[in-house]
Amino acid sequence: MAEQLRQVDRLRRTGRYTSALAQVRALAEAHPRLGIVLMELAMTLGIWGGAPAEALPWFERVLELAPGHRTTRLHRALCLARLGRHAEAVADFDALVDGGYRKALVLHMKRAESLEALGQDARAEQDWTLALAEDQDNPWLLQQRAAVRARMGMHAEALEDLSAALALQQGADIDPELLHERGLLRVRLGDVGGARADFQAGLAALRRGDPDWLPDALRSAVQALDVP
């Protein structure tokens, strides 16, 4: 069995998804109560196949056989979130956090995203903070917390987050989207000079691969500062 599952994994990793799925389906039919096989089928569908709706029933079957299997619960929560079933996803994330699941960074990030989708920004802000405790020098995490703090009216705190994120970047690695976001916050806080500097720096830092909307947004932001 172990060798057969390794073969499924080799097929997935070499881009032969259809063959991997056929093989793991056959194993699941032959061993319908073997959790490791059902888990591999669910993972093949959900991760390698990008089909969370098809994967979800298989994750649930594994949990019927082994209710305490935390990795399965995590992947079920991720599937639920991808399907927009955020309240159910949060319930699974809550159970994992309460149980001290070892992947704390992933849990707090993903629960924060689902909480934001549910409009629960205060709880989401707490989760981004907990995620940052696990990875404190992560500009993306700082950007996410800044966004939710800005929505909550915590503009000064959001500005601190974006400034900290930008301080972690240098040269060609400076993200002009962060400069745009910080400029907008500075406008709200009445710092027109700082906002202008951020927008102009963002224009100078534009790179291939940045969002298509960003150059126009930066130019429009500069122009808006010149309107009496």
Side-chain angles (χ1 to χ4, degrees):
M1 178 61 66
E3 178 54 36
Q4 289 173 299
L5 291 177
R6 281 195 290 270
Q7 175 63 19
V8 169
D9 193 48
R10 283 194 290 270
L11 289 168
R12 293 185 307 209
R13 292 181 184 280
T14 54
R16 291 174 285 176
Y17 169 74
T18 302
S19 297
L21 181 59
Q23 185 163 324
V24 75
R25 278 195 189 279
L27 288 172
E29 290 173 4
H31 305 280
R33 295 190 61 78
L34 193 55
I36 189 171
V37 172
L38 303 183
M39 180 68 166
E40 288 300 325
L41 174 54
M43 298 278 278
T44 301
L45 288 165
I47 296 176
W48 301 93
E54 294 179 54
L56 185 59
W58 294 102
F59 285 125
E60 290 177 343
R61 284 183 62 177
V62 177
L63 287 171
E64 289 172 5
L65 295 170
H69 197 265
R70 294 179 176 182
T71 299
T72 303
R73 186 176 291 275
L74 172 62
H75 283 285
R76 182 175 71 174
L78 296 174
C79 278
L80 289 166
R82 289 173 63 191
L83 293 168
R85 295 165 60 177
H86 293 289
E88 295 166 84
V90 167
D92 270 346
F93 290 134
D94 286 347
L96 289 164
V97 170
D98 292 343
Y101 189 60
R102 66 185 184 281
K103 295 184 178 179
L105 176 59
V106 172
L107 284 178
H108 291 303
M109 286 170 49
K110 293 301 180 180
R111 186 170 66 175
E113 291 173 352
S114 284
L115 288 167
E116 286 190 43
L118 293 168
Q120 298 182 35
D121 283 343
R123 284 192 65 195
E125 192 268 345
Q126 293 173 358
D127 264 331
W128 290 122
T129 299
L130 290 168
L132 278 161
E134 301 290 328
D135 188 6
Q136 61 183 353
D137 291 332
N138 187 317
W140 184 82
L141 291 176
L142 287 162
Q143 182 183 17
Q144 303 314 304
R145 187 172 67 174
V148 73
R149 284 179 162 180
R151 285 199 303 273
M152 294 169 65
M154 300 169 63
H155 297 137
E157 293 84 351
L159 183 63
E160 289 178 4
D161 278 345
L162 292 177
S163 296
L166 284 161
L168 295 167
Q169 303 174 346
Q170 295 181 353
D173 293 328
I174 292 177
D175 186 344
E177 189 171 350
L178 288 179
L179 287 164
H180 178 248
E181 291 179 15
R182 189 171 69 173
L184 294 177
L185 279 172
R186 282 178 159 166
V187 170
R188 290 183 183 180
L189 292 168
D191 181 7
V192 175
R196 187 185 302 277
D198 275 344
F199 296 143
Q200 291 174 339
L203 286 167
L206 286 168
R207 309 155 297 182
R208 180 179 298 176
D210 283 323
D212 292 339
W213 56 266
L214 186 56
D216 285 342
L218 285 163
R219 283 189 288 268
S220 296
V222 173
Q223 292 168 3
L225 295 178
D226 296 327
V227 175

